[in-house]
Amino acid sequence: MRLLVSKSFTSNDELYKIVDLLNKTLKDYNLMFGLSRDTGGQTMTLSIYEV
């Protein structure tokens, strides 16, 4: 896997739904989306990978 880009956002529980939708819809394009939350829970980072 190769990281293409990552971007941090204010924490929002709805981001998981978006990442799930993107992974299901764009898997045929060899893209994978990841989401992580910082230890404080204030920031989430969306990462896009090329598989």
Side-chain angles (χ1 to χ4, degrees):
M1 280 191 304
R2 181 173 68 109
L3 178 64
L4 297 176
V5 67
S6 63
K7 175 71 177 168
S8 294
F9 300 91
T10 303
S11 184
N12 182 332
D13 291 334
E14 298 293 312
L15 285 175
Y16 286 104
K17 294 178 184 179
I18 294 169
V19 170
D20 185 48
L21 173 71
L22 291 170
N23 277 322
K24 288 178 181 177
T25 327
L26 299 174
K27 65 182 173 185
D28 293 337
Y29 293 93
N30 296 324
L31 295 173
M32 187 174 88
F33 298 81
L35 188 62
S36 62
R37 188 182 303 231
D38 73 342
T39 54
Q42 299 296 318
T43 304
M44 298 179 95
T45 302
L46 173 66
S47 301
I48 304 173
Y49 300 92
E50 182 178 52
V51 182

